[in-house]
Amino acid sequence: MKSLLQAAAVGLAMATTMGSTTAKAAEPEPVYELRIYTTNEGKLPDLLKRFRDHTCALFEKHGMTNLGYWVPVDKENGADTTLIYVLSHKSREAAKESFKTFGADPAWKQVREASEANGKILAKPPESIFMTRTEFSPELKVSASDPERVFELRTYTTNEGKLPELHARFTNHTCKLFEKHGMTNLCYWTPIDVEQGHNNKLIYILAHKSKEAGLASFDAFRADPVWIAAKGESEKNGSLTVPQPEGVKSVYMKPVDFSKIK
């Protein structure tokens, strides 16, 4: 009898574990949102203070997940006026509802009014791009492994019909070569909306020990015979990306003190 009870207990534990695993596997992939804020001159510290003291907590209160917050390293990319961040949502519909309740929250209205007592903070409406992870992207891990790291936001715009080929090149070659040359693949996304590049854009973030290390890594990557061969083979019928400066855009960024990802 004892052995039967033990077997039943083991079976129940296994069923519970399998049920939990199945439920976890069934969880839908979150929707990611890249948001870019441009402030009026001298107002970036006010914006950062508002996020640090209030906005991030209010986002979480209304069902949004704070991931990474960065400011550009270089002045030409908006070091003094730009905040770039990534949120995740359960779905596009959930994001819409979250921002609706956030905007109507009396606490937010009070914070916004107080923070803009001496003038508007934002120079224009925020830019927002809803995205999904690509099949070859690693899972986005929230960690503050190295506060000194810098990050690089890269956006590729492809020629018509070339996005699948670009994805294939990253899947088969590029991601592994990035790691080989000291870069960390953080996450890769495709915009959800056609008008924001669903059919022709790849957006991703890398991490580097420093901007100088990132530039050196790319020099070594571009000189790698494996990359040269892969690029040549993939572009036998023409370049995958549109001509510069629109083809590949890069912004080096440093995490702010309240960013979960560092």
Side-chain angles (χ1 to χ4, degrees):
M1 176 65 72
K2 185 176 180 181
S3 61
L4 287 174
L5 290 174
Q6 288 175 332
V10 170
L12 179 60
M14 290 177 65
T16 301
T17 301
M18 289 176 66
S20 174
T21 302
T22 301
K24 185 175 181 181
E27 290 179 2
E29 174 77 10
V31 167
Y32 296 88
E33 185 182 6
L34 173 66
R35 293 177 68 86
I36 302 173
Y37 286 14
T38 302
T39 70
N40 287 306
E41 288 295 328
K43 291 293 186 178
L44 183 58
D46 293 340
L47 179 65
L48 296 181
K49 176 176 172 55
R50 190 166 76 186
F51 269 87
R52 181 186 302 110
D53 297 345
H54 304 285
T55 311
C56 288
L58 286 169
F59 278 173
E60 296 281 350
K61 172 184 175 182
H62 291 284
M64 298 177 259
T65 300
N66 297 293
L67 296 173
Y69 286 80
W70 303 271
V71 293
V73 169
D74 302 309
K75 194 173 182 67
E76 60 266 29
N77 285 323
D80 300 326
T81 58
T82 304
L83 173 65
I84 300 168
Y85 65 98
V86 176
L87 302 172
S88 70
H89 308 277
K90 291 182 179 179
S91 66
R92 185 71 175 274
E93 294 71 25
K96 183 178 179 180
E97 183 61 24
S98 291
F99 271 109
K100 180 180 177 181
T101 57
F102 165 79
D105 192 320
W108 163 245
K109 292 180 179 180
Q110 183 178 357
V111 164
R112 181 175 182 178
E113 182 177 354
S115 66
E116 297 191 336
N118 296 317
K120 288 190 64 175
I121 288 178
L122 296 185
K124 60 180 181 178
E127 297 177 51
S128 168
I129 302 175
F130 283 95
M131 313 176 296
T132 55
R133 259 192 329 144
T134 66
E135 290 185 359
F136 60 85
S137 175
E139 182 179 350
L140 180 59
K141 295 179 180 178
V142 176
S143 67
S145 59
D146 183 0
E148 300 303 314
R149 288 196 301 177
V150 301
F151 296 78
E152 186 182 5
L153 173 65
R154 294 176 67 85
T155 304
Y156 288 16
T157 301
T158 70
N159 285 302
E160 186 175 355
K162 294 291 187 179
L163 186 60
E165 293 176 52
L166 182 66
H167 280 194
R169 192 167 74 187
F170 270 84
T171 300
N172 297 327
H173 304 286
T174 311
C175 290
K176 293 188 284 286
L177 287 169
F178 280 173
E179 294 284 351
K180 173 184 175 181
H181 292 288
M183 298 178 258
T184 299
N185 296 296
L186 196 71
C187 203
Y188 290 79
W189 298 282
T190 301
I192 291 175
D193 298 315
V194 171
E195 61 270 23
Q196 291 186 322
H198 177 72
N199 296 320
N200 69 339
K201 285 191 187 297
L202 173 65
I203 299 172
Y204 65 99
I205 297 178
L206 300 173
H208 309 283
K209 290 181 179 179
S210 64
K211 179 182 177 181
E212 292 72 26
L215 293 173
S217 290
F218 266 107
D219 284 343
F221 163 79
R222 294 185 184 104
D224 191 314
V226 177
W227 164 245
I228 293 171
K231 185 175 188 295
E233 178 63 24
S234 66
E235 298 191 342
K236 289 186 299 185
N237 298 316
S239 175
L240 301 187
T241 56
V242 301
Q244 290 297 87
E246 295 302 316
V248 178
K249 293 184 178 181
S250 164
V251 178
Y252 279 89
M253 316 177 293
K254 57 184 178 182
V256 299
D257 58 290
F258 54 85
S259 178
K260 289 185 177 180
I261 298 176
K262 290 181 180 170

